[in-house]
Amino acid sequence: MDKVVQKAIASDKRWRAVYIACGLLIVALTLLMGAFLLYQGSQTFIKAHHSIWEFLFTSDWAPLDKTGLFGGKVGAAVYIVGSLETCLLALIICLPFAIGSAVYMTEISPKIGEKYFRPATEIYVSIPSVVYGWFGMTKLVPLIKNIFHPAMGGYSVLAASIVLAIMIFPTITTVSADAIKSVPMSYREGAYGLGATRWQVIGKVVLPAASGGILTGIILGLARAIGEALAVSMVIGKTRSFASNLLSPTSNLTSAIAADMGNTAQGGEYNLALWTMALLLFIISIVLIVLIHKLANGKKDK
Amino acid sequence: MEDKITIENLNLYYSDFHALHDVNMHIQKNEITAFIGPSGCGKSTLLRCLNRMNDLVEGCRIEGSVKLDGTDIYGGDLDVTVLRQRVGMVFQRPNPFPMSVYDNVAYGPKIHGVTDKQELDEIVETSLKQAAIWDDLKDRLNKSALGLSGGQQQRLCIARALAVKPEVLLMDEPTSALDPISTSKIEELALQLKKDYTIVIVTHNMQQAVRISDKTGFFLLGDLVEFGETDQLFSMPKDERTERYITGRFG
Ligand SMILES: Nc1ncnc2c1ncn2[C@@H]1O[C@H](COP(=O)(O)OP(=O)(O)O)[C@@H](O)[C@H]1O
Ligand SMILES: [Mg+2]
């Protein structure tokens, strides 16, 4: 008997060591990647002597593409603005639908919601982004072209934003639905007991009480949108100029990195500038993730 | 005296479960009516019939009638939101909304159409005063209600209910989660409020029923076994089951 227990403890300990090792490995890999990005991404400023101001706030993009040769222009504002505007617009398009759906599947018709709606939304998460991009390119772009007849065809900020909106919809919807579901029943009863209608209960008690969780969903969605490359690059038009309106094409950080990273000379100014763009994306993601944790902890403090 | 609420031949089913059997009761204006009985006997269920909170329970079915000032509340002549404004409710666990003290009290008047800031201020102040908690809270109207003690939260919930100017106040074991001092404050409050309101209170505590109520109903397994003057019910119960329950000789 004793031996069995000892054996169990020993194997327990061995497994624990394995788990800890795996955990440490992941932490180490993440840190290593961060450090590598930080090193590579900062070379634009250190080795090539460009200013952070130039990179972030000017739009002259003419980096030299030869190893060790510096002196071009690395203003990435077009890409940065392209990323921000498509993400924000995607959020604005997506939010009413996502919150409406979350309310529907929790408050209005929980049975249908749980049985059909949630599984359906979860399937959307697992569809590869090339499918979204392909749908955007073959259906959405022609549609925009036929409706608005923009000078440059249908490839546009609008097309990219709609594709992104569709891609982040399931994330925001499911996270919001969970947040709404976790609002205590007693709040709803309290409001109904005062003579509130269903919409007054939802709008003035349930949604405010769930707002922390909904915000988490929004940030998760934004993190997904800001990092999405393939689907966006298929419909945004990839022209290196600011979009003058929603129907004009532009480019963004991920499209530029994905398109050019493989073709640039190692250690050249162009290559380094792309690394800096990758670093910027990394920083944005980290900021968003820190925000999520802040929100989650803030809720616990209450 | 005129009935405030008349309950006639009320039967209630939760799907197949017959939870209330043929209940008849007359609840008088400006009186405190207490419901007592072992847990699970249907006290909360009956209370929640009086402002149609059972509408929220799926599969709940009601036969018979409940009249408020002579109007059948299930008859379609009275909108459920108006009914709940006239018949307010305080719950077993204090359930302030996750908002400021002020917003909690102002919630009801706001949804019923009061928008004037000064009028809202006045309603908030009078309601908190009526609930005897104005002095405690007047300096923290903008603080979250979730930071208050349990007793303060419950009195805030009473103030929130009073803010929509109800005629009847339903209280479902309002002191079961509170300490003795908070409990006696709520009891005093109930006695004061009965001047202006009709109160129905569920209590697990027989002493509480004796202390504050005018009439008491004793329930057992979905039956209203006995209903009458509180003094009489506790001193000379008519039914043997009531006697066994109030003398503590019940299984
Ligand atoms: N929502 C519900 N669905 C089904 N049965 C219920 C529900 N609420 C209460 N019941 C049942 O009805 C009976 C009376 O409950 P309740 O009115 O809460 O009793 P009390 O308040 O006297 O303790 C109990 O048997 C309880 O299990
Ligand atoms: Mg109860």
Side-chain angles (χ1 to χ4, degrees):
Chain A
M1 192 62 194
D2 235 21
K3 255 194 185 150
V4 178
V5 173
Q6 270 173 6
K7 230 177 163 178
I9 291 174
S11 110
D12 218 52
K13 272 189 180 158
R14 263 201 303 279
W15 277 112
R16 243 182 81 172
V18 172
Y19 290 137
I20 291 173
C22 289
L24 285 178
L25 190 71
I26 288 169
V27 172
L29 271 175
T30 313
L31 286 178
L32 215 69
M33 239 173 67
F36 183 66
L37 258 179
L38 193 63
Y39 172 77
Q40 286 281 2
S42 57
Q43 293 309 311
T44 301
F45 312 117
I46 296 168
K47 237 196 214 155
H49 301 294
H50 292 286
S51 68
I52 293 183
W53 177 270
E54 179 191 350
F55 176 75
L56 290 177
F57 300 112
T58 69
S59 56
D60 268 342
W61 179 257
L64 303 179
D65 189 12
K66 193 150 190 212
T67 309
L69 198 62
F70 308 121
K73 298 263 167 51
V74 297
V78 169
Y79 301 126
I80 296 170
V81 169
S83 278
L84 294 181
E85 68 191 358
T86 48
C87 285
L88 286 182
L89 191 59
L91 193 63
I92 291 168
I93 296 170
C94 175
L95 214 50
F97 294 102
I99 303 230
S101 307
V103 165
Y104 177 80
M105 63 199 258
T106 50
E107 299 286 305
I108 314 290
S109 189
K111 276 201 184 130
I112 295 178
E114 280 308 306
K115 209 164 162 200
Y116 303 107
F117 217 98
R118 185 181 289 270
T121 25
E122 275 158 8
I123 287 173
Y124 277 110
V125 183
S126 58
I127 294 176
S129 49
V130 65
V131 175
Y132 287 101
W134 183 69
F135 152 80
M137 215 158 104
T138 57
K139 297 281 179 284
L140 196 57
V141 169
L143 189 71
I144 291 175
K145 192 172 153 189
N146 290 336
I147 295 177
F148 300 105
H149 305 290
M152 322 280 283
Y155 294 92
S156 57
V157 172
L158 184 64
S161 303
I162 292 176
V163 168
L164 279 178
I166 295 170
M167 293 181 75
I168 62 179
F169 171 79
T171 312
I172 300 186
T173 304
T174 44
V175 175
S176 301
D178 289 341
I180 291 172
K181 254 205 314 206
S182 69
V183 172
M185 195 56 203
S186 66
Y187 293 168
R188 297 184 180 86
E189 287 195 325
Y192 279 120
L194 291 166
T197 62
R198 180 193 253 181
W199 293 112
Q200 288 168 334
V201 174
I202 293 172
K204 300 215 175 98
V205 174
V206 175
L207 287 182
S211 59
I214 293 173
L215 213 57
T216 304
I218 289 174
I219 294 171
L220 274 172
L222 270 182
R224 168 140 203 227
I226 202 98
E228 175 54 39
L230 193 55
V232 176
S233 74
M234 287 165 81
V235 298
I236 198 168
K238 286 191 279 188
T239 51
R240 201 191 315 123
S241 58
F242 290 113
S244 52
N245 59 52
L246 295 184
L247 296 174
S248 42
T250 181
S251 190
N252 72 344
L253 291 168
T254 47
S255 300
I257 296 172
D260 299 339
M261 194 56 124
N263 313 324
T264 53
Q266 204 63 40
E269 193 174 46
Y270 206 125
N271 187 260
L272 292 180
L274 291 178
W275 276 111
T276 310
M277 281 159 54
L279 175 63
L280 181 63
L281 281 174
F282 187 69
I283 290 172
I284 293 174
S285 305
I286 286 186
V287 167
L288 291 177
I289 286 165
V290 168
L291 269 180
I292 292 174
H293 280 268
K294 275 262 157 63
L295 279 173
N297 290 337
K299 241 172 81 185
K300 256 184 257 151
D301 289 345
K302 263 191 197 164
Chain B
M1 211 182 184
E2 220 180 303
D3 281 1
K4 186 70 193 174
I5 296 176
T6 316
I7 303 168
E8 282 172 324
N9 303 325
L10 187 77
N11 281 279
L12 182 144
Y13 304 82
Y14 289 119
S15 302
D16 303 337
F17 177 63
H18 194 175
L20 290 175
H21 312 150
D22 252 329
V23 175
N24 287 281
M25 189 184 269
H26 299 266
I27 293 170
Q28 242 98 63
K29 211 172 167 181
N30 299 109
E31 283 194 351
I32 299 182
T33 303
F35 295 174
I36 61 167
S39 84
C41 64
K43 307 181 293 291
S44 300
T45 300
L46 181 60
L47 195 73
R48 292 163 60 92
C49 284
L50 306 185
N51 67 344
R52 295 185 53 177
M53 283 307 267
N54 285 325
D55 289 13
L56 304 177
V57 178
E58 209 178 318
C60 176
R61 195 158 51 78
I62 285 165
E63 291 164 4
S65 76
V66 178
K67 292 191 180 123
L68 176 68
D69 289 333
T71 311
D72 188 350
I73 64 170
Y74 287 95
D77 293 334
L78 192 56
D79 189 71
V80 68
T81 59
V82 175
L83 168 71
R84 291 183 186 145
Q85 180 261 309
R86 290 175 60 187
V87 182
M89 188 159 212
V90 176
F91 298 82
Q92 187 162 359
R93 305 211 131 266
N95 62 346
F97 303 132
M99 318 167 176
S100 70
V101 169
Y102 183 97
D103 288 339
N104 263 278
V105 184
Y107 180 85
K110 274 187 191 158
I111 60 173
H112 291 294
V114 180
T115 48
D116 183 54
K117 172 83 172 108
Q118 200 181 339
E119 195 181 342
L120 283 173
D121 287 352
E122 272 166 30
I123 293 174
V124 169
E125 182 171 342
T126 27
S127 308
L128 287 170
K129 276 181 176 157
Q130 275 185 297
I133 196 167
W134 172 253
D135 291 330
D136 291 28
L137 297 186
K138 63 173 186 277
D139 299 323
R140 42 207 291 203
L141 292 178
N142 295 315
K143 296 261 167 63
S144 168
L146 301 186
L148 306 179
S149 72
Q152 289 174 325
Q153 287 189 357
Q154 194 62 304
R155 277 184 289 160
L156 175 64
C157 289
I158 294 174
R160 184 176 71 184
L162 295 178
V164 295
K165 307 195 165 72
E167 299 154 27
V168 181
L169 205 54
L170 309 175
M171 300 173 137
D172 191 350
E173 305 196 21
T175 60
S176 67
L178 304 183
D179 61 274
I181 292 172
S182 309
T183 298
S184 68
K185 280 187 183 156
I186 302 244
E187 288 180 7
E188 273 169 39
L189 185 57
L191 285 169
Q192 272 171 29
L193 291 174
K194 89 173 191 184
K195 288 200 299 287
D196 305 307
Y197 302 89
T198 305
I199 296 177
V200 186
I201 184 169
V202 171
T203 175
H204 60 291
N205 177 337
M206 281 183 276
Q207 267 62 53
Q208 185 166 65
V210 173
R211 280 193 299 265
I212 65 174
S213 72
D214 302 291
K215 301 262 170 58
T216 298
F218 169 61
F219 291 81
L220 195 59
L221 297 171
D223 288 310
L224 175 58
V225 173
E226 187 166 347
F227 179 60
E229 299 285 336
T230 299
D231 297 340
Q232 155 132 43
L233 187 134
F234 279 95
S235 57
M236 283 181 293
K238 293 199 187 86
D239 197 291
E240 181 203 355
R241 289 170 292 174
T242 315
E243 182 178 359
R244 273 195 296 176
Y245 183 71
I246 61 177
T247 52
R249 283 185 285 122
F250 204 86

